[in-house]
């Protein structure tokens, strides 16, 4: 709704990140025609994939022919700049990536890696999705999530606070209250 | 006659040996009960100048980021000297800790840093065979013991990586033997919403942690002795 810009098209980047992991299923599905078409339909112009330790290489594209421009890299020392310039972030379910993205207030789709043995990551993604801070998807259903998502309905996440823990620790150790 | 004397002497010495052994076990048991009873009891009042040596256990993934968030709100002159431990295969965590300590040293203008950085062997790598894991766990435990004897911290801060369990157990043993009384604080990771991690579960059930913190209300309902502190991130 109101996302495709008629006339002059501003650059709207979708940033995909897998953190320090390998998540070929996500990189592959994001590089699929289904997902790329859906992203184009929702008004995005560029797809930038941080593929980490994965072995699947996406197909680069300049997007000159009106298709989605696609680029990728493995790692960077900091993805902060990429997060800041993204219009949509699609991330693996690592807590670091999730909270860093939410800190910048960017719309986020978290994709849970079903191949991970102990999938404790899905608990966090599902809880935050329930609280409407982000969308949660699996690789096979990602295109459906992109098609149906209503980013305006997402609730901004207020940053957490470690001072309650610090207070309790200080009190336990007998230090005076500040 | 001689034979009887020597028999009764060996009886006496084995009786003595057994008594000593029983006494030793009894003392250990009493100490263990004393420590378990004392675990979780707040310490008596201290002034801010009475700083406590602090062991900070870092871990890959979100663990170090969460720990740094906590360290930023702790008064660093109360928790000093600081010892950071990360697994030997974790490259990023100690780097992040260095950055934090450097920024503190810069802002306070103090030359030299009251922090040390150490690496510890992992008990078991992901996917390692269980047969070789027996040996590597032994090596890791001995290494942990070596580091703990050097550090003898008064405060232990950890938030879930597997490396923290042997360190906390050794801290507990130090309390029993009387090498050092420490306060062990465990903050379960923000990624744990409905279930505790294995480290968390063990430290909770064995009552090794003095204070156990969880970040989601679901866990506090399940584990009533835990303190619900909301999200740290």
């Amino acid at each position: 709704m109101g996302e495709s810009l008629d006339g002059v098209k501003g650059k709207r980047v979708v940033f995909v990140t897998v953190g320090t992991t390998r998540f070929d299923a996500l990189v592959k599905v994001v590089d699929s025609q289904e997902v790329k078409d859906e992203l184009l339909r929702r008004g995005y112009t560029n797809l930038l994939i941080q593929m980490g330790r994965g072995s699947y290489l996406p197909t680069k594209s300049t997007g000159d022919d009106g298709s989605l421009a696609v680029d990728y890299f493995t790692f960077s020392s900091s993805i902060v700049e990429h997060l800041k310039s993204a219009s949509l972030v699609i991330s693996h379910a690592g807590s670091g990536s999730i909270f860093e993205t939410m800190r910048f207030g960017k719309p986020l789709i978290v994709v849970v890696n079903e191949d991970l043995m102990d999938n404790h990551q899905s608990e966090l993604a599902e809880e935050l999705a329930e609280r409407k801070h982000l969308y949660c998807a699996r690789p096979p259903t990602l295109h459906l999530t992109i098609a149906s998502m209503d980013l305006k309905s997402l609730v901004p996440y207020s940053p957490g606070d470690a001072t309650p823990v610090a207070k309790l620790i200080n009190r336990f150790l007998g230090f005076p209250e500040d | 006659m001689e034979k009887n004397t020597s028999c009764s002497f060996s009886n006496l010495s084995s009786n003595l040996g057994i008594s000593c052994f029983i006494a030793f076990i009894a003392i250990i048991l009493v100490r263990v009960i004393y420590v378990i009873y004392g675990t979780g009891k707040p310490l008596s009042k201290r002034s801010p100048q009475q700083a406590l040596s602090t062991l900070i256990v870092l871990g890959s993934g979100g663990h170090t980021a969460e720990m740094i968030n906590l360290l930023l709100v702790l008064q660093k002159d109360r928790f000093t000297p600081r010892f950071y431990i990360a697994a030997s295969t974790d490259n990023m965590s100690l780097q992040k800790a260095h950055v934090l300590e450097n920024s503190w040293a810069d802002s306070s203008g103090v030359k030299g840093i009251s922090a040390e950085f150490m690496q510890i062997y992992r008990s078991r790598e992901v996917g390692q065979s269980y047969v070789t894991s027996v040996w590597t766990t032994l090596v890791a435990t001995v290494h942990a013991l070596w580091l703990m004897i050097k550090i003898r911290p008064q405060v232990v801060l950890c938030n879930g990586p597997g490396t923290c369990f042997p360190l906390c157990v050794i801290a507990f043993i130090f309390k029993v033997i009387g090498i050092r009384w420490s306060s062990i604080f465990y903050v379960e990771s923000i990624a744990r919403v409905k279930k505790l991690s294995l480290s968390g579960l063990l430290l909770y059930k064995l009552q090794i942690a003095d204070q156990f913190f969880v970040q989601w209300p679901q866990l506090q309902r399940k584990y009533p002795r835990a303190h619900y502190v909301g999200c740290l991130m």
Side-chain angles (χ1 to χ4, degrees), chain A residues 150-165:
Chain A
D150 175 15
L151 298 181
K152 291 196 177 59
S153 72
L154 288 179
V155 174
Y157 176 79
S158 339
D161 185 14
T163 43
V165 185

Side-chain angles (χ1 to χ4, degrees), chain A residues 32-146:
Chain A
S32 71
Q33 211 48 54
E34 236 174 357
V35 167
K36 288 199 281 204
D37 286 345
E38 208 51 66
L39 289 174
L40 263 175
R41 227 171 277 146
R42 296 302 304 256
Y44 297 102
T45 59
N46 293 64
L47 175 62
L48 178 60
I49 306 172
Q50 181 264 319
M51 50 175 272
R53 291 189 286 125
S55 50
Y56 173 84
L57 296 177
T59 326
K60 291 199 191 193
S61 161
T62 55
D64 288 339
D65 54 350
S67 64
L68 200 66
V70 182
D71 195 6
Y72 67 87
F73 62 95
T74 51
F75 294 102
S76 88
S77 53
S78 165
I79 57 166
V80 166
E81 289 312 313
H82 298 297
L83 289 175
K84 279 204 241 184
S85 54
S87 303
L88 171 68
V89 178
I90 300 176
S91 162
H92 77 130
S95 63
S97 300
I98 292 178
F99 287 105
E100 216 178 350
T101 306
M102 294 201 297
R103 195 155 56 94
F104 291 113
K106 296 294 174 174
L108 173 59
I109 303 176
V110 171
V111 181
V112 177
N113 189 346
E114 297 167 306
D115 295 327
L116 284 182
M117 285 261 295
D118 156 38
N119 211 340
H120 68 267
Q121 287 187 338
S122 61
E123 275 184 22
L124 178 64
E126 283 158 17
E127 179 70 22
L128 292 171
E130 235 167 276
R131 293 173 181 229
K132 299 208 188 313
H133 295 305
L134 48 82
Y135 281 102
C136 201
R138 292 163 35 243
T141 60
L142 180 60
H143 67 286
L144 297 171
T145 307
I146 295 170

Side-chain angles (χ1 to χ4, degrees), chain B residues 96-154:
Chain B
K96 292 189 189 154
H98 270 289
V99 169
L100 178 67
E101 289 287 341
N102 286 340
S103 72
W104 280 342
D106 286 342
S107 60
S108 68
V110 172
K111 285 276 175 234
I113 302 172
S114 53
E116 271 186 57
F117 306 86
M118 288 165 253
Q119 293 194 308
I120 190 172
Y121 292 120
R122 265 215 159 106
S123 307
R124 184 176 164 267
E125 295 294 338
V126 176
Q128 186 183 335
S129 84
Y130 285 102
V131 176
T132 56
S133 298
V134 174
W135 170 249
T136 51
T137 302
L138 236 64
V139 171
T141 310
V142 170
H143 191 214
L145 192 59
W146 168 246
L147 291 173
M148 284 294 280
I149 288 174
K150 284 210 295 184
I151 304 173
R152 293 194 301 279
Q154 293 165 296

Side-chain angles (χ1 to χ4, degrees), chain A residues 123 157 160 170 172 174 178, chain B residues 43 46 75 78 193-194 233:
Chain A
E123 275 184 22
Y157 176 79
N170 272 289
F172 183 88
D178 286 319
Chain B
L43 305 184
R46 65 175 53 242
Q75 303 84 332
R78 296 183 181 183
V193 180
K194 302 194 180 109
M233 300 287 279

